[in-house]
Amino acid sequence: MLTVLDLIGIAAFAASGALAAVRARLDLFGVIVLALTTALGGGTIRDVLLGVHPPTALVDWPYLAVAAGTGLVVFWFHPTVSKLRRAVVLLDAIGLGVFVTAGTSTALALGAPPYAACLVGMTTGIGGGALRDVLLREIPLVLRREIYALAALGGAVIVAVGDRLGFPEGPVTLIGAVLIAGVRILALWRKWNAPIARKLDG
């Protein structure tokens, strides 16, 4: 079940990256690169931080296949995919929840302290999107609007606290993932954003 959710999350992230590439008028190669980067970037950063070599995305071929295949589908059928924005956003929220909680659990299992595991888990969820925005020469979305990174960090903290208290990993991971996805969807619906500094004079 977790593997299926993981692949769903990869497909959703890949679709968001590919759509951004299409809007930026990149060619087919650029669309595939953005799809792969968005879908697999966070997990690759996680593995590098935790000393997992080679990164999981380069060992398990389904991850690469799903991300690249999604990029191709978006390239050829982007008008239709754009109309399914709500579905893509929902899958993106689910993917964020799965990636963050799985990243946090992996870090804890490899001996990382709780605070480091939370940061690694958050990075797993938001890293791919940040890399996508950097490649498109934009300020990463997680740094300028929407409750995204905060939701990810909150879910990671739940996983870390549950592990610290000795609670069963499965239920705690599920609760963390549901919280992340729920907060993310609610923030989009209610148009919640993190506060920013007051407008500077001059």
Side-chain angles (χ1 to χ4, degrees):
M1 184 64 180
L2 285 176
T3 301
V4 172
L5 289 175
D6 211 15
L7 292 175
I8 290 174
I10 286 174
F13 281 6
S16 69
L19 281 172
V22 168
R23 294 191 188 104
R25 306 300 297 161
L26 301 189
D27 61 13
L28 175 59
F29 179 75
V31 171
I32 299 299
V33 168
L34 262 291
L36 290 171
T37 300
T38 308
L40 306 177
T44 301
I45 294 173
R46 173 202 64 204
D47 290 345
V48 169
L49 291 174
L50 296 176
V52 177
H53 301 292
T56 305
L58 301 181
V59 175
D60 295 333
W61 67 265
Y63 293 156
L64 284 169
V66 169
T70 302
L72 282 172
V73 169
V74 171
F75 180 81
W76 292 111
F77 302 105
H78 62 88
T80 301
V81 176
S82 296
K83 294 177 182 178
L84 301 175
R85 184 179 180 279
R86 290 186 179 180
V88 172
V89 167
L90 176 61
L91 293 176
D92 180 87
I94 294 173
L96 179 66
V98 172
F99 281 12
V100 171
T101 52
T104 306
S105 296
T106 299
L108 290 170
L110 292 176
Y115 69 89
C118 290
L119 294 176
V120 169
M122 181 182 70
T123 301
T124 305
I126 70 174
L131 290 174
R132 172 202 64 209
D133 293 343
V134 169
L135 288 174
L136 293 175
R137 295 191 297 178
E138 298 178 357
I139 298 174
L141 183 67
V142 298
L143 301 180
R144 55 192 170 88
R145 65 189 179 94
E146 299 181 1
I147 305 297
Y148 200 92
L150 290 177
L153 184 59
V157 168
I158 285 179
V159 174
V161 170
D163 178 79
R164 190 76 171 178
L165 296 177
F167 293 157
E169 180 181 356
V172 170
T173 300
L174 180 61
I175 290 172
V178 170
L179 172 72
I180 293 169
V183 170
R184 172 68 179 146
I185 293 170
L186 189 60
L188 286 170
W189 176 46
R190 301 292 297 176
K191 293 182 171 41
W192 289 344
N193 294 293
I196 60 174
R198 293 179 180 179
K199 186 176 181 180
L200 299 175
D201 295 333

